[in-house]
Amino acid sequence: MISEDLFKEAKKFLPGGVDSPVRAYKPYPFFAERAEGSRIYDVDGKNYIDYCLAYGPLVLGHADPTIIEAVSKQLKKGTAYGVPTENEIKLAKQVVNRVPCADMVRFMNSGTEATMSAIRLARAATSRNKIIKFEGSYHGAHDYVLVKSGSGAAGLPDSPGVPEDTTKNTVLVPFNNEEALTKLIESDNDEIAAIIVEPVMGNIGCIPPKKGYLEFLRKITAENDIILIFDEVITGFRIAEGGSQEYFGVTPDLVTFGKILGGGFPMGALAGKRELMEMIAPSGNVYQAGTFNGNPISIKAGLTMLKQLDSSFYNSMDSKGQNLRKGLSDLLEGNGLNFHVAGLSSMFQIYFKEGDVMDYKDAKAADTRGFTAYFHKLLEGGVFIPPSQFECCFLSRAHSDEDIQITLEKVDEALKVVKK
């Protein structure tokens, strides 16, 4: 069956025809048949240079042979045990050795579980209830953080079915704004348990912190006994061996991981300072559990992945990212479009607006209709990026110089469509 027919069939059995909202776009999404390296192949016989990469985890590209081999061997030994394995210890040591704040690790199954558990732990450790998140940030689909953006005060639920009582302790402030956060903490510091932040906001496009902002967060949380949580589900092990903590030189109290740590398989993790992590059951009384926590398939894939992520890997990815972003900027200038190219390391996005993008309000000013036309023209030309203006694009080790050159040629064609 072709993608159009599959989508019609899918809508009979899957809400909206998909298993995650971001996968849906008009008139219908393509259905994947297989993927390899930098390419994804659909059931219609087309292939695309892939910059979505399953929304970030595939830093080595699709179907990396080393991971396939390692997982194949593990599959023959069993898929789930319900008891500990030595490989869990090995992967935990890898995380602790790489990540500045990590003394201990709890493995789980998704970034959503990780952020939910981090918030629970922070509340238990401080005996406070309120958390601060930033407008436009995404920390998974659990009730605590599924909150609309707004200015100040408590947030309202962003989805039916989320009680207002659940989110009344979730407070929103704009990213990269020291004054707004300072005022909030000064008025409410004895009730705030934690600040949770994407060091690079990767779910509203790609918004890096302004110089000194993460240092400011570390200072103000330390002064007010507030736990600082870095949500590195996207940046963890992508932009440096130690993630954003190494890249920016700022160490939080807790950090959450997902995506890359699973080597292409479901994975989440919470790591942090020993005195906090030892509060988690069974060593403490903060409950967190999961049948598939430390699943041997995901653990083995993660071990195999991390072994390949060394300094030469990150130097190569930085170089690719710089070259691609420079090429995009040159094309925009050549087409007379004063749009904003954002990103760092192997992350990038074009915002269809003039001027810098520093926070959610800036990002929401982008021309989404123009971006949609751009997306479809790229797709037609064999380049797949996430279909939303408010997602980040990613590079992998598998992307070649030729891939990048072809991509820039297709971007040039797509931008000419936007100009009309």
Side-chain angles (χ1 to χ4, degrees):
M1 296 177 73
I2 61 174
S3 291
E4 183 175 6
D5 293 337
L6 286 171
F7 187 58
K8 290 176 182 177
E9 187 74 1
K11 286 193 291 184
K12 298 176 185 177
F13 304 101
L14 304 173
V18 293
D19 272 319
S20 187
V22 74
R23 300 175 191 176
Y25 56 85
K26 295 180 179 179
Y28 55 85
F30 71 79
F31 279 61
E33 181 180 57
R34 65 184 182 90
E36 183 179 357
S38 65
R39 301 265 173 170
I40 188 167
Y41 298 78
D42 68 18
V43 297
D44 309 304
K46 301 176 183 176
N47 70 85
Y48 310 88
I49 303 172
D50 185 11
Y51 294 99
C52 180
L53 295 173
Y55 291 90
L58 306 174
V59 292
L60 301 180
H62 290 282
D64 176 72
T66 61
I67 292 177
I68 297 300
E69 180 182 5
V71 167
S72 296
K73 290 179 179 178
Q74 177 58 47
L75 282 168
K76 296 175 183 178
K77 298 178 181 180
T79 60
Y81 304 133
V83 298
T85 65
E86 184 180 357
N87 279 342
E88 292 172 63
I89 305 170
K90 290 180 179 179
L91 186 57
K93 285 181 177 179
Q94 283 281 328
V95 174
V96 168
N97 289 338
R98 288 167 178 260
V99 178
C101 84
D103 295 327
M104 304 184 82
V105 186
R106 167 60 61 89
F107 295 116
M108 46 200 77
N109 301 288
S110 69
T112 290
E113 286 184 45
T115 58
M116 181 173 64
S117 301
I119 290 167
R120 182 183 299 155
L121 177 57
R123 284 173 165 159
T126 60
S127 298
R128 301 171 181 174
N129 291 326
K130 290 187 177 180
I131 62 166
I132 295 173
K133 72 179 285 281
F134 294 91
E135 295 175 0
S137 63
Y138 178 75
H139 302 292
H142 57 91
D143 290 1
Y144 296 154
V145 292
L146 203 61
V147 179
K148 286 183 178 179
S149 297
S151 54
L156 295 174
D158 199 26
S159 172
V162 178
E164 287 189 25
D165 280 352
T166 304
T167 59
K168 68 182 181 182
N169 288 314
T170 303
V171 186
L172 296 129
V173 292
F175 190 56
N176 278 325
N177 187 321
E178 295 185 14
E179 182 180 359
L181 183 59
T182 300
K183 286 182 178 179
L184 176 60
I185 290 176
E186 286 177 349
S187 66
D188 222 5
N189 72 319
D190 59 343
E191 295 186 48
I192 299 168
I195 292 177
I196 185 167
V197 61
E198 294 177 274
V200 179
M201 292 182 70
N203 284 281
I204 190 65
C206 185
I207 305 178
K210 69 180 184 181
K211 187 175 181 180
Y213 189 69
L214 297 180
E215 290 87 345
F216 159 75
L217 292 183
R218 178 66 286 181
K219 183 173 184 292
I220 199 167
T221 51
E223 290 173 348
N224 290 278
D225 296 319
I226 295 168
I227 290 176
L228 180 60
I229 305 168
F230 274 11
D231 177 353
E232 294 216 51
V233 168
I234 287 179
T235 56
F237 312 110
R238 172 167 284 281
I239 65 175
E241 290 187 64
S244 290
Q245 298 178 45
E246 177 185 334
Y247 192 93
F248 295 107
V250 178
T251 303
D253 301 300
L254 295 171
V255 61
T256 60
F257 296 117
K259 295 188 186 287
I260 291 165
L261 189 57
F265 289 81
M267 173 73 89
L270 170 61
K273 296 179 178 178
R274 183 174 300 275
E275 60 267 28
L276 293 173
M277 295 299 295
E278 287 187 333
M279 294 180 67
I280 298 173
S283 61
N285 57 10
V286 177
Y287 197 70
Q288 197 289 324
T291 298
F292 286 97
N293 283 8
N295 176 264
I297 304 297
S298 296
I299 292 288
K300 186 63 177 179
L303 273 172
T304 309
M305 171 76 81
L306 288 190
K307 285 179 182 178
Q308 301 177 71
L309 306 188
D310 55 16
S311 59
S312 63
F313 167 83
Y314 292 106
N315 289 336
S316 173
M317 298 298 282
D318 285 345
S319 178
K320 284 184 186 181
Q322 289 172 10
N323 290 340
L324 180 55
R325 288 189 296 274
K326 173 65 163 57
L328 294 174
S329 295
D330 290 345
L331 289 176
L332 288 171
E333 183 178 353
N335 281 282
L337 296 168
N338 192 25
F339 294 161
H340 178 67
V341 177
L344 75 168
S345 186
S346 57
M347 303 168 65
F348 68 97
Q349 181 59 289
I350 297 177
Y351 285 98
F352 277 49
K353 70 174 294 292
E354 295 185 3
D356 290 338
V357 178
M358 300 299 291
D359 57 23
Y360 176 71
K361 182 179 178 182
D362 290 342
K364 291 294 283 184
D367 175 10
T368 55
R369 297 178 74 177
F371 183 89
T372 297
Y374 166 78
F375 162 77
H376 280 288
K377 185 64 177 177
L378 284 182
L379 196 66
E380 179 187 311
V383 175
F384 178 50
I385 62 172
S388 170
Q389 166 74 98
F390 307 120
E391 292 287 344
C392 189
C393 303
F394 303 100
L395 283 155
S396 76
R397 185 176 70 180
H399 284 87
S400 65
D401 292 341
E402 182 182 6
D403 287 332
I404 292 174
Q405 184 56 44
I406 292 170
T407 299
L408 291 173
E409 291 170 4
K410 297 303 180 181
V411 167
D412 193 25
E413 294 174 10
L415 291 174
K416 285 177 169 53
V417 171
V418 174
K419 285 174 62 179
K420 292 180 180 179

